[in-house]
Amino acid sequence: MAYTRERLGELLITEGLITREILDDVLQIQAQQGGKVGEVLVRELILTEEQIAAALAGQKGFEHVNLAAYSVDRAAVSMIPERFARSRWVLPIAFEESGRLVLAMADPLDVEAMDDVEVMTSRVVIPVVAGRAQIELAIDKYIASADAFQEVVDSVADSEEESEELSTEDVPVVRLVNQIIREAVHDLASDIHIEPQQKNVRVRYRVDGVLQEIMVLPNAAKAGVISRLKIMGELDIAERRRPQDGRIALRVDERPVDLRIATLPTPHGESIVIRILNSELTFHSLNDIGLSDDHIEQIRVMLARPYGSIMISGPTGSGKSTTLYAALRELNEETRKIITVEDPIEYQMAGLTQMAANTRIGLTFASGLRTILRSDPDIVMVGEIRDPETAEIAVRAALTGHLVLSSIHTNDAPSALTRLVDMAVPPYITSSALVGVVAQRLVRKLCPECRVPLSLSKETLLAAGFTAETAESVKVYGPGGCDACHSSGYRGRIGLFEIMPMDDELTRAFLAQSPSEELREIALSNGMRSLRDDALDKVAAGITGLEEVNRVVS
């Protein structure tokens, strides 16, 4: 960078970010290992790039921008090539009304880079400061994906019809597929959808539970993209008439990522859905997933039982696996033997013995569970109760000295009881084994960068479920829209929960074959807080919005 090492160090001391002693230590490390003072500070985890960028911007009078929350103008970005942007760590991000180009720079004192951009764009440049890591991510997002897409478009421009010759070894196709996966990982997408249409191929990401269209590919690129993904997943590229499942293990920016790939034949070609599993997942604790203090205490009481069954209920994609892993993290001790059977093993947790179900070889949940019970476990986790045989084995295991955790597909907690009856598990066995049921949903969290306060009438708040007292004082927020949240107004998700411990009154009603509606009324009268009650608490806390709650919870 253009400034001297001492000047940067003195600036950071003046800003109160480091002490003289820290600077002396950093200069010693620099003398031994090389690099710039700022790079050493970041490498040693003393400061972040954003802290250094903000300090430099303040000292030189430049504006500091947070690219994660900035509405980047793609037309501005397209004015310089990717190679130059990466070599100088610069990125055009906007146009001023006067026509001047706003240029994000890791080093705003790099006058030569500014001159080069002015020559390339024929515009006057206004520098602003951003962290190098943010600039790199923005280059990946705005330039690399656009370049890869355009390369494929150019490569098939002369083809009016779909061509099988656009092979898996075609460099533009390889680059495009890699970029689609990389951008999905950066955007924290859970799934990638490659969907052939009549005249094109639509690419969508599921982010925070909601699908977003990312790009539309020309129909001529369909064969190459689908074949490339099937080769990566070790699938039969010649078979297009039946569904196939595969797995891809790769590294994205030095991070290991597992991809589960599923194909589906359609009239316009094979549709592909890719589930993204981050192998470096930091397992959530019960405190991290949205549980209130009262709910955490209720779950911990359940988990403290030496035996019995705990069910996590909810529809597909409601976060049941995350809650199960949070519970296993709570229970994972050297004195306990914990064995799981899952389909698939989504995340590997140290200290657990994990087994994957495989129906192709006859290893079902039921057969796997029988094997597990012969392996001296203290705690058993069954990924999902899908059939009567698995249900009965799991419930009976809970009666024979094992703590059994599992998930089940029901809309609320009381419905889990009637669902087990539907699976032919006798009520007297279920009532004896079941400790409690945790029902849950996931709602999107409002983006903290752009959420906006709403003025809602008292009648609207009362209709939503707030009490009269709460409706008088509650502050409700809604989605705004910025680049950090892809203009959706939401970023990240949090759980909504209702917890139903089994008590004597509930057990008597269940044995009397009361319908689930009556069981629900009993549970609510005994203190169970509904999913909507929990949702309204999170609305009142500014975590999510009423619109999102109404989308997810009835």
Side-chain angles (χ1 to χ4, degrees), residues 244-274:
Q244 297 185 69
D245 296 316
R247 179 174 178 174
I248 304 170
L250 45 76
R251 300 185 73 84
V252 176
D253 294 340
E254 304 305 319
R255 290 185 299 164
V257 176
D258 279 341
L259 306 177
R260 304 298 165 88
I261 179 172
T263 70
L264 185 70
T266 76
H268 303 300
E270 289 176 283
S271 174
I272 293 183
V273 177
I274 304 168

PDB file of all heavy atoms in Angstrom, residues 244-274:
ATOM      1  N   GLN A 244     -32.329 -40.169 -10.429  1.00  0.00           N
ATOM      2  CA  GLN A 244     -31.068 -40.675  -9.888  1.00  0.00           C
ATOM      3  C   GLN A 244     -30.649 -39.796  -8.704  1.00  0.00           C
ATOM      4  O   GLN A 244     -30.991 -38.614  -8.642  1.00  0.00           O
ATOM      5  CB  GLN A 244     -29.958 -40.651 -10.946  1.00  0.00           C
ATOM      6  CG  GLN A 244     -30.210 -41.535 -12.150  1.00  0.00           C
ATOM      7  CD  GLN A 244     -29.009 -41.554 -13.082  1.00  0.00           C
ATOM      8  OE1 GLN A 244     -27.955 -42.097 -12.768  1.00  0.00           O
ATOM      9  NE2 GLN A 244     -29.162 -40.947 -14.254  1.00  0.00           N
ATOM     10  N   ASP A 245     -29.912 -40.393  -7.785  1.00  0.00           N
ATOM     11  CA  ASP A 245     -29.392 -39.676  -6.627  1.00  0.00           C
ATOM     12  C   ASP A 245     -27.880 -39.832  -6.591  1.00  0.00           C
ATOM     13  O   ASP A 245     -27.349 -40.916  -6.896  1.00  0.00           O
ATOM     14  CB  ASP A 245     -29.976 -40.215  -5.315  1.00  0.00           C
ATOM     15  CG  ASP A 245     -31.477 -39.997  -5.237  1.00  0.00           C
ATOM     16  OD1 ASP A 245     -31.917 -38.897  -5.597  1.00  0.00           O
ATOM     17  OD2 ASP A 245     -32.197 -40.933  -4.829  1.00  0.00           O
ATOM     18  N   GLY A 246     -27.190 -38.771  -6.189  1.00  0.00           N
ATOM     19  CA  GLY A 246     -25.737 -38.839  -6.093  1.00  0.00           C
ATOM     20  C   GLY A 246     -25.220 -37.877  -5.044  1.00  0.00           C
ATOM     21  O   GLY A 246     -25.980 -37.175  -4.372  1.00  0.00           O
ATOM     22  N   ARG A 247     -23.935 -37.853  -4.930  1.00  0.00           N
ATOM     23  CA  ARG A 247     -23.284 -37.024  -3.917  1.00  0.00           C
ATOM     24  C   ARG A 247     -22.008 -36.443  -4.502  1.00  0.00           C
ATOM     25  O   ARG A 247     -21.285 -37.120  -5.240  1.00  0.00           O
ATOM     26  CB  ARG A 247     -22.964 -37.859  -2.673  1.00  0.00           C
ATOM     27  CG  ARG A 247     -22.267 -37.105  -1.564  1.00  0.00           C
ATOM     28  CD  ARG A 247     -22.133 -37.978  -0.326  1.00  0.00           C
ATOM     29  NE  ARG A 247     -21.417 -37.288   0.735  1.00  0.00           N
ATOM     30  CZ  ARG A 247     -21.249 -37.758   1.961  1.00  0.00           C
ATOM     31  NH1 ARG A 247     -21.767 -38.937   2.269  1.00  0.00           N
ATOM     32  NH2 ARG A 247     -20.594 -37.071   2.868  1.00  0.00           N
ATOM     33  N   ILE A 248     -21.736 -35.174  -4.176  1.00  0.00           N
ATOM     34  CA  ILE A 248     -20.530 -34.496  -4.631  1.00  0.00           C
ATOM     35  C   ILE A 248     -19.812 -33.943  -3.400  1.00  0.00           C
ATOM     36  O   ILE A 248     -20.416 -33.248  -2.582  1.00  0.00           O
ATOM     37  CB  ILE A 248     -20.854 -33.330  -5.584  1.00  0.00           C
ATOM     38  CG1 ILE A 248     -21.678 -33.811  -6.776  1.00  0.00           C
ATOM     39  CG2 ILE A 248     -19.582 -32.637  -6.053  1.00  0.00           C
ATOM     40  CD1 ILE A 248     -22.231 -32.680  -7.641  1.00  0.00           C
ATOM     41  N   ALA A 249     -18.546 -34.257  -3.259  1.00  0.00           N
ATOM     42  CA  ALA A 249     -17.727 -33.689  -2.190  1.00  0.00           C
ATOM     43  C   ALA A 249     -16.673 -32.799  -2.842  1.00  0.00           C
ATOM     44  O   ALA A 249     -15.911 -33.249  -3.694  1.00  0.00           O
ATOM     45  CB  ALA A 249     -17.065 -34.794  -1.360  1.00  0.00           C
ATOM     46  N   LEU A 250     -16.650 -31.539  -2.463  1.00  0.00           N
ATOM     47  CA  LEU A 250     -15.674 -30.619  -3.042  1.00  0.00           C
ATOM     48  C   LEU A 250     -15.310 -29.549  -2.024  1.00  0.00           C
ATOM     49  O   LEU A 250     -15.825 -29.528  -0.907  1.00  0.00           O
ATOM     50  CB  LEU A 250     -16.228 -29.994  -4.334  1.00  0.00           C
ATOM     51  CG  LEU A 250     -17.673 -29.463  -4.346  1.00  0.00           C
ATOM     52  CD1 LEU A 250     -17.769 -28.145  -3.627  1.00  0.00           C
ATOM     53  CD2 LEU A 250     -18.135 -29.305  -5.788  1.00  0.00           C
ATOM     54  N   ARG A 251     -14.417 -28.671  -2.444  1.00  0.00           N
ATOM     55  CA  ARG A 251     -14.005 -27.562  -1.592  1.00  0.00           C
ATOM     56  C   ARG A 251     -14.350 -26.261  -2.308  1.00  0.00           C
ATOM     57  O   ARG A 251     -14.077 -26.101  -3.497  1.00  0.00           O
ATOM     58  CB  ARG A 251     -12.506 -27.613  -1.277  1.00  0.00           C
ATOM     59  CG  ARG A 251     -12.077 -28.882  -0.551  1.00  0.00           C
ATOM     60  CD  ARG A 251     -10.607 -28.837  -0.154  1.00  0.00           C
ATOM     61  NE  ARG A 251     -10.368 -27.921   0.945  1.00  0.00           N
ATOM     62  CZ  ARG A 251     -10.530 -28.235   2.233  1.00  0.00           C
ATOM     63  NH1 ARG A 251     -10.957 -29.437   2.577  1.00  0.00           N
ATOM     64  NH2 ARG A 251     -10.266 -27.366   3.181  1.00  0.00           N
ATOM     65  N   VAL A 252     -14.955 -25.354  -1.576  1.00  0.00           N
ATOM     66  CA  VAL A 252     -15.298 -24.039  -2.093  1.00  0.00           C
ATOM     67  C   VAL A 252     -14.538 -23.015  -1.257  1.00  0.00           C
ATOM     68  O   VAL A 252     -14.800 -22.866  -0.071  1.00  0.00           O
ATOM     69  CB  VAL A 252     -16.811 -23.774  -2.014  1.00  0.00           C
ATOM     70  CG1 VAL A 252     -17.128 -22.357  -2.465  1.00  0.00           C
ATOM     71  CG2 VAL A 252     -17.570 -24.787  -2.863  1.00  0.00           C
ATOM     72  N   ASP A 253     -13.577 -22.351  -1.901  1.00  0.00           N
ATOM     73  CA  ASP A 253     -12.720 -21.394  -1.190  1.00  0.00           C
ATOM     74  C   ASP A 253     -12.106 -22.033   0.054  1.00  0.00           C
ATOM     75  O   ASP A 253     -12.176 -21.508   1.173  1.00  0.00           O
ATOM     76  CB  ASP A 253     -13.509 -20.141  -0.809  1.00  0.00           C
ATOM     77  CG  ASP A 253     -13.943 -19.357  -2.033  1.00  0.00           C
ATOM     78  OD1 ASP A 253     -13.338 -19.554  -3.100  1.00  0.00           O
ATOM     79  OD2 ASP A 253     -14.880 -18.553  -1.922  1.00  0.00           O
ATOM     80  N   GLU A 254     -11.549 -23.230  -0.143  1.00  0.00           N
ATOM     81  CA  GLU A 254     -10.837 -23.981   0.891  1.00  0.00           C
ATOM     82  C   GLU A 254     -11.740 -24.524   1.990  1.00  0.00           C
ATOM     83  O   GLU A 254     -11.260 -25.011   3.009  1.00  0.00           O
ATOM     84  CB  GLU A 254      -9.720 -23.124   1.540  1.00  0.00           C
ATOM     85  CG  GLU A 254      -8.715 -22.569   0.540  1.00  0.00           C
ATOM     86  CD  GLU A 254      -8.091 -23.676  -0.300  1.00  0.00           C
ATOM     87  OE1 GLU A 254      -7.769 -24.736   0.258  1.00  0.00           O
ATOM     88  OE2 GLU A 254      -7.946 -23.475  -1.517  1.00  0.00           O
ATOM     89  N   ARG A 255     -13.050 -24.453   1.801  1.00  0.00           N
ATOM     90  CA  ARG A 255     -13.967 -25.024   2.780  1.00  0.00           C
ATOM     91  C   ARG A 255     -14.593 -26.287   2.209  1.00  0.00           C
ATOM     92  O   ARG A 255     -15.086 -26.276   1.082  1.00  0.00           O
ATOM     93  CB  ARG A 255     -15.080 -24.035   3.139  1.00  0.00           C
ATOM     94  CG  ARG A 255     -14.624 -22.837   3.944  1.00  0.00           C
ATOM     95  CD  ARG A 255     -15.842 -22.004   4.335  1.00  0.00           C
ATOM     96  NE  ARG A 255     -16.559 -21.515   3.176  1.00  0.00           N
ATOM     97  CZ  ARG A 255     -17.796 -21.033   3.202  1.00  0.00           C
ATOM     98  NH1 ARG A 255     -18.465 -21.019   4.332  1.00  0.00           N
ATOM     99  NH2 ARG A 255     -18.367 -20.584   2.102  1.00  0.00           N
ATOM    100  N   PRO A 256     -14.601 -27.401   2.948  1.00  0.00           N
ATOM    101  CA  PRO A 256     -15.238 -28.620   2.442  1.00  0.00           C
ATOM    102  C   PRO A 256     -16.751 -28.468   2.429  1.00  0.00           C
ATOM    103  O   PRO A 256     -17.364 -27.986   3.390  1.00  0.00           O
ATOM    104  CB  PRO A 256     -14.794 -29.693   3.448  1.00  0.00           C
ATOM    105  CG  PRO A 256     -14.478 -28.951   4.696  1.00  0.00           C
ATOM    106  CD  PRO A 256     -13.979 -27.599   4.277  1.00  0.00           C
ATOM    107  N   VAL A 257     -17.363 -28.872   1.318  1.00  0.00           N
ATOM    108  CA  VAL A 257     -18.810 -28.783   1.155  1.00  0.00           C
ATOM    109  C   VAL A 257     -19.308 -30.093   0.560  1.00  0.00           C
ATOM    110  O   VAL A 257     -18.714 -30.614  -0.384  1.00  0.00           O
ATOM    111  CB  VAL A 257     -19.204 -27.606   0.235  1.00  0.00           C
ATOM    112  CG1 VAL A 257     -20.704 -27.595  -0.010  1.00  0.00           C
ATOM    113  CG2 VAL A 257     -18.766 -26.283   0.839  1.00  0.00           C
ATOM    114  N   ASP A 258     -20.386 -30.637   1.130  1.00  0.00           N
ATOM    115  CA  ASP A 258     -21.033 -31.831   0.586  1.00  0.00           C
ATOM    116  C   ASP A 258     -22.288 -31.410  -0.163  1.00  0.00           C
ATOM    117  O   ASP A 258     -23.080 -30.607   0.344  1.00  0.00           O
ATOM    118  CB  ASP A 258     -21.412 -32.799   1.700  1.00  0.00           C
ATOM    119  CG  ASP A 258     -20.227 -33.637   2.155  1.00  0.00           C
ATOM    120  OD1 ASP A 258     -19.256 -33.728   1.390  1.00  0.00           O
ATOM    121  OD2 ASP A 258     -20.273 -34.179   3.266  1.00  0.00           O
ATOM    122  N   LEU A 259     -22.468 -31.975  -1.355  1.00  0.00           N
ATOM    123  CA  LEU A 259     -23.654 -31.693  -2.158  1.00  0.00           C
ATOM    124  C   LEU A 259     -24.398 -32.998  -2.406  1.00  0.00           C
ATOM    125  O   LEU A 259     -23.787 -33.996  -2.786  1.00  0.00           O
ATOM    126  CB  LEU A 259     -23.267 -31.062  -3.504  1.00  0.00           C
ATOM    127  CG  LEU A 259     -22.381 -29.812  -3.468  1.00  0.00           C
ATOM    128  CD1 LEU A 259     -22.044 -29.386  -4.894  1.00  0.00           C
ATOM    129  CD2 LEU A 259     -23.057 -28.683  -2.720  1.00  0.00           C
ATOM    130  N   ARG A 260     -25.699 -33.005  -2.151  1.00  0.00           N
ATOM    131  CA  ARG A 260     -26.541 -34.152  -2.479  1.00  0.00           C
ATOM    132  C   ARG A 260     -27.338 -33.780  -3.726  1.00  0.00           C
ATOM    133  O   ARG A 260     -28.048 -32.779  -3.732  1.00  0.00           O
ATOM    134  CB  ARG A 260     -27.486 -34.486  -1.321  1.00  0.00           C
ATOM    135  CG  ARG A 260     -26.752 -34.734  -0.006  1.00  0.00           C
ATOM    136  CD  ARG A 260     -25.827 -35.931  -0.105  1.00  0.00           C
ATOM    137  NE  ARG A 260     -24.889 -35.975   0.995  1.00  0.00           N
ATOM    138  CZ  ARG A 260     -25.121 -36.563   2.170  1.00  0.00           C
ATOM    139  NH1 ARG A 260     -26.282 -37.128   2.371  1.00  0.00           N
ATOM    140  NH2 ARG A 260     -24.199 -36.584   3.097  1.00  0.00           N
ATOM    141  N   ILE A 261     -27.219 -34.585  -4.776  1.00  0.00           N
ATOM    142  CA  ILE A 261     -27.814 -34.238  -6.067  1.00  0.00           C
ATOM    143  C   ILE A 261     -28.922 -35.233  -6.401  1.00  0.00           C
ATOM    144  O   ILE A 261     -28.760 -36.444  -6.218  1.00  0.00           O
ATOM    145  CB  ILE A 261     -26.728 -34.203  -7.168  1.00  0.00           C
ATOM    146  CG1 ILE A 261     -27.334 -33.875  -8.522  1.00  0.00           C
ATOM    147  CG2 ILE A 261     -25.951 -35.495  -7.217  1.00  0.00           C
ATOM    148  CD1 ILE A 261     -26.289 -33.628  -9.607  1.00  0.00           C
ATOM    149  N   ALA A 262     -30.055 -34.723  -6.864  1.00  0.00           N
ATOM    150  CA  ALA A 262     -31.181 -35.566  -7.251  1.00  0.00           C
ATOM    151  C   ALA A 262     -31.706 -35.091  -8.601  1.00  0.00           C
ATOM    152  O   ALA A 262     -31.935 -33.893  -8.798  1.00  0.00           O
ATOM    153  CB  ALA A 262     -32.289 -35.498  -6.201  1.00  0.00           C
ATOM    154  N   THR A 263     -31.873 -36.041  -9.521  1.00  0.00           N
ATOM    155  CA  THR A 263     -32.403 -35.704 -10.844  1.00  0.00           C
ATOM    156  C   THR A 263     -33.849 -36.157 -10.955  1.00  0.00           C
ATOM    157  O   THR A 263     -34.276 -37.122 -10.300  1.00  0.00           O
ATOM    158  CB  THR A 263     -31.583 -36.365 -11.963  1.00  0.00           C
ATOM    159  OG1 THR A 263     -31.824 -37.785 -11.951  1.00  0.00           O
ATOM    160  CG2 THR A 263     -30.099 -36.102 -11.778  1.00  0.00           C
ATOM    161  N   LEU A 264     -34.604 -35.447 -11.797  1.00  0.00           N
ATOM    162  CA  LEU A 264     -36.011 -35.764 -12.002  1.00  0.00           C
ATOM    163  C   LEU A 264     -36.339 -35.550 -13.473  1.00  0.00           C
ATOM    164  O   LEU A 264     -36.183 -34.443 -13.989  1.00  0.00           O
ATOM    165  CB  LEU A 264     -36.877 -34.850 -11.135  1.00  0.00           C
ATOM    166  CG  LEU A 264     -38.384 -35.125 -11.142  1.00  0.00           C
ATOM    167  CD1 LEU A 264     -38.687 -36.434 -10.425  1.00  0.00           C
ATOM    168  CD2 LEU A 264     -39.120 -33.966 -10.470  1.00  0.00           C
ATOM    169  N   PRO A 265     -36.795 -36.601 -14.191  1.00  0.00           N
ATOM    170  CA  PRO A 265     -37.123 -36.433 -15.606  1.00  0.00           C
ATOM    171  C   PRO A 265     -38.378 -35.580 -15.785  1.00  0.00           C
ATOM    172  O   PRO A 265     -39.382 -35.774 -15.088  1.00  0.00           O
ATOM    173  CB  PRO A 265     -37.347 -37.867 -16.097  1.00  0.00           C
ATOM    174  CG  PRO A 265     -37.662 -38.658 -14.872  1.00  0.00           C
ATOM    175  CD  PRO A 265     -36.948 -38.001 -13.739  1.00  0.00           C
ATOM    176  N   THR A 266     -38.328 -34.632 -16.705  1.00  0.00           N
ATOM    177  CA  THR A 266     -39.474 -33.771 -17.020  1.00  0.00           C
ATOM    178  C   THR A 266     -39.639 -33.718 -18.539  1.00  0.00           C
ATOM    179  O   THR A 266     -38.732 -34.125 -19.283  1.00  0.00           O
ATOM    180  CB  THR A 266     -39.275 -32.341 -16.476  1.00  0.00           C
ATOM    181  OG1 THR A 266     -38.343 -31.641 -17.322  1.00  0.00           O
ATOM    182  CG2 THR A 266     -38.770 -32.349 -15.046  1.00  0.00           C
ATOM    183  N   PRO A 267     -40.748 -33.193 -19.035  1.00  0.00           N
ATOM    184  CA  PRO A 267     -40.924 -33.121 -20.500  1.00  0.00           C
ATOM    185  C   PRO A 267     -39.866 -32.289 -21.209  1.00  0.00           C
ATOM    186  O   PRO A 267     -39.612 -32.493 -22.398  1.00  0.00           O
ATOM    187  CB  PRO A 267     -42.310 -32.465 -20.634  1.00  0.00           C
ATOM    188  CG  PRO A 267     -43.016 -32.792 -19.370  1.00  0.00           C
ATOM    189  CD  PRO A 267     -41.962 -32.801 -18.314  1.00  0.00           C
ATOM    190  N   HIS A 268     -39.219 -31.364 -20.506  1.00  0.00           N
ATOM    191  CA  HIS A 268     -38.231 -30.487 -21.135  1.00  0.00           C
ATOM    192  C   HIS A 268     -36.799 -30.876 -20.795  1.00  0.00           C
ATOM    193  O   HIS A 268     -35.877 -30.126 -21.089  1.00  0.00           O
ATOM    194  CB  HIS A 268     -38.486 -29.041 -20.717  1.00  0.00           C
ATOM    195  CG  HIS A 268     -39.860 -28.557 -21.030  1.00  0.00           C
ATOM    196  ND1 HIS A 268     -40.368 -28.515 -22.312  1.00  0.00           N
ATOM    197  CD2 HIS A 268     -40.857 -28.119 -20.215  1.00  0.00           C
ATOM    198  CE1 HIS A 268     -41.612 -28.061 -22.282  1.00  0.00           C
ATOM    199  NE2 HIS A 268     -41.932 -27.817 -21.026  1.00  0.00           N
ATOM    200  N   GLY A 269     -36.601 -32.040 -20.186  1.00  0.00           N
ATOM    201  CA  GLY A 269     -35.263 -32.468 -19.810  1.00  0.00           C
ATOM    202  C   GLY A 269     -35.192 -32.750 -18.322  1.00  0.00           C
ATOM    203  O   GLY A 269     -36.185 -32.621 -17.591  1.00  0.00           O
ATOM    204  N   GLU A 270     -34.016 -33.128 -17.859  1.00  0.00           N
ATOM    205  CA  GLU A 270     -33.859 -33.490 -16.451  1.00  0.00           C
ATOM    206  C   GLU A 270     -33.736 -32.253 -15.572  1.00  0.00           C
ATOM    207  O   GLU A 270     -32.895 -31.380 -15.804  1.00  0.00           O
ATOM    208  CB  GLU A 270     -32.622 -34.366 -16.279  1.00  0.00           C
ATOM    209  CG  GLU A 270     -32.789 -35.752 -16.856  1.00  0.00           C
ATOM    210  CD  GLU A 270     -31.507 -36.549 -16.754  1.00  0.00           C
ATOM    211  OE1 GLU A 270     -30.606 -36.305 -17.568  1.00  0.00           O
ATOM    212  OE2 GLU A 270     -31.398 -37.407 -15.868  1.00  0.00           O
ATOM    213  N   SER A 271     -34.571 -32.210 -14.549  1.00  0.00           N
ATOM    214  CA  SER A 271     -34.473 -31.176 -13.522  1.00  0.00           C
ATOM    215  C   SER A 271     -33.537 -31.690 -12.433  1.00  0.00           C
ATOM    216  O   SER A 271     -33.564 -32.875 -12.082  1.00  0.00           O
ATOM    217  CB  SER A 271     -35.857 -30.879 -12.948  1.00  0.00           C
ATOM    218  OG  SER A 271     -35.775 -29.994 -11.858  1.00  0.00           O
ATOM    219  N   ILE A 272     -32.706 -30.810 -11.909  1.00  0.00           N
ATOM    220  CA  ILE A 272     -31.736 -31.209 -10.885  1.00  0.00           C
ATOM    221  C   ILE A 272     -31.898 -30.322  -9.664  1.00  0.00           C
ATOM    222  O   ILE A 272     -31.993 -29.094  -9.772  1.00  0.00           O
ATOM    223  CB  ILE A 272     -30.291 -31.123 -11.418  1.00  0.00           C
ATOM    224  CG1 ILE A 272     -30.075 -32.168 -12.511  1.00  0.00           C
ATOM    225  CG2 ILE A 272     -29.277 -31.305 -10.305  1.00  0.00           C
ATOM    226  CD1 ILE A 272     -28.663 -32.218 -13.056  1.00  0.00           C
ATOM    227  N   VAL A 273     -31.923 -30.948  -8.494  1.00  0.00           N
ATOM    228  CA  VAL A 273     -31.921 -30.224  -7.221  1.00  0.00           C
ATOM    229  C   VAL A 273     -30.683 -30.658  -6.442  1.00  0.00           C
ATOM    230  O   VAL A 273     -30.419 -31.854  -6.292  1.00  0.00           O
ATOM    231  CB  VAL A 273     -33.190 -30.498  -6.398  1.00  0.00           C
ATOM    232  CG1 VAL A 273     -33.102 -29.784  -5.050  1.00  0.00           C
ATOM    233  CG2 VAL A 273     -34.422 -30.043  -7.154  1.00  0.00           C
ATOM    234  N   ILE A 274     -29.932 -29.674  -5.972  1.00  0.00           N
ATOM    235  CA  ILE A 274     -28.695 -29.932  -5.237  1.00  0.00           C
ATOM    236  C   ILE A 274     -28.860 -29.401  -3.821  1.00  0.00           C
ATOM    237  O   ILE A 274     -29.057 -28.201  -3.623  1.00  0.00           O
ATOM    238  CB  ILE A 274     -27.489 -29.254  -5.905  1.00  0.00           C
ATOM    239  CG1 ILE A 274     -27.368 -29.704  -7.360  1.00  0.00           C
ATOM    240  CG2 ILE A 274     -26.210 -29.555  -5.143  1.00  0.00           C
ATOM    241  CD1 ILE A 274     -26.396 -28.871  -8.177  1.00  0.00           C
TER     242      ILE A 274
END
